């Protein structure tokens, strides 16, 4: 039973560049949420995808965009990277994000460093 | 007032001690509650859901007080391996979606 997998595990970029992070949800899950976690902080919700659509969005600028594919996997894209985008990016999957109160399961995260 | 608040700690306790964390939430419509554990530079992992009647899993006990809008986590006979950050998560329905609100976490260090 595969858990949530994210790639890459680490990434170094420079300011102004663009990055794409990838996530495959836990087997049987159909909803993917993305979080940004800065050092010493709790996870900050970026957005959630269900049925290939963005269902909810946190307080993040349009530089942050995403996509969900028919196989439920998801990508997070960040354009025009800023130093402040350096963080651990976590993907979490769950079932039926609209009504389920099932807990989320997290991947190991992608640690993004901006130089 | 923050939607979910936790004492950031750190809590420094000796092995074998009992330690309790509280988490308060501001929205009375909150429906589900969870405790997650996060080790340094690792992803959060579900520790336990919190049920209205309270629930226990080994050395861990979670309780919910809807009237006062807080949940608690009690760790008995603490082990060195319990050292981590404990995150409180509150879920509420927002229209057709479910919204998860995360606390900033409480840091626990269990010392030999």
């Amino acid at each position: 039973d595969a858990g949530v997998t994210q790639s890459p595990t680490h990434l170094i970029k420079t300011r102004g560049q663009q990055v794409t992070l990838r996530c495959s949800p836990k087997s049987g899950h159909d909803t993917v949420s993305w979080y940004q976690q800065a050092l010493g902080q709790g996870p900050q919700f970026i957005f959630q995808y269900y049925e290939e659509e963005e269902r909810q969005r946190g307080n993040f600028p349009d530089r942050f965009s995403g996509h969900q594919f028919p196989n439920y996997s998801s990508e997070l894209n960040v354009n025009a990277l800023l130093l402040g985008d350096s963080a651990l990016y976590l993907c979490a999957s769950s079932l039926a994000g609209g009504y389920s109160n099932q807990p989320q399961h997290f991947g190991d995260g992608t640690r993004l460093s901006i130089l | 007032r923050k939607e979910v608040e936790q004492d950031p700690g750190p809590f420094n306790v000796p092995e074998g001690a009992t330690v309790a964390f509280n988490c308060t939430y501001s929205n009375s419509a909150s429906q589900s509650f969870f405790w997650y554990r996060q080790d340094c530079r690792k992803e959060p992992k579900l520790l336990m859901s919190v049920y209205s009647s309270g629930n226990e899993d080994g050395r861990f006990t979670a309780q919910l007080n809807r009237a006062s809008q807080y949940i608690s986590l009690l760790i008995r006979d603490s082990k060195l391996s319990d050292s981590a950050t404990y995150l409180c998560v509150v879920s509420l329905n927002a229209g057709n979606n479910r919204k998860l609100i995360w606390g900033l976490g409480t840091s626990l260090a269990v010392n030999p």
Side-chain angles (χ1 to χ4, degrees), chain B residues 73-105:
Chain B
L73 177 68
L74 182 77
I75 305 175
R76 289 182 300 277
D77 188 25
S78 53
K79 312 291 184 189
L80 295 177
S81 58
D82 293 335
S83 298
T85 296
Y86 291 83
L87 296 155
C88 165
V89 184
V90 172
S91 165
L92 69 157
N93 283 341
N96 289 329
N97 300 315
R98 180 182 66 142
K99 182 179 176 182
L100 284 184
I101 305 165
W102 290 72
L104 296 182

Side-chain angles (χ1 to χ4, degrees), chain A residues 36 46-47 57 60-65 76-78 85 89:
Chain A
Q36 180 195 68
I46 302 175
F47 42 53
R57 190 177 183 93
F60 278 80
D62 292 343
R63 298 187 296 111
F64 290 76
S65 63
L76 164 66
N77 300 293
V78 188
D85 295 332
Y89 288 83

Side-chain angles (χ1 to χ4, degrees), chain A residues 36-49:
Chain A
Q36 180 195 68
Q37 187 175 25
L39 202 61
Q41 301 291 315
Q44 298 294 311
F45 175 71
I46 302 175
F47 42 53
Q48 181 185 82
Y49 277 84

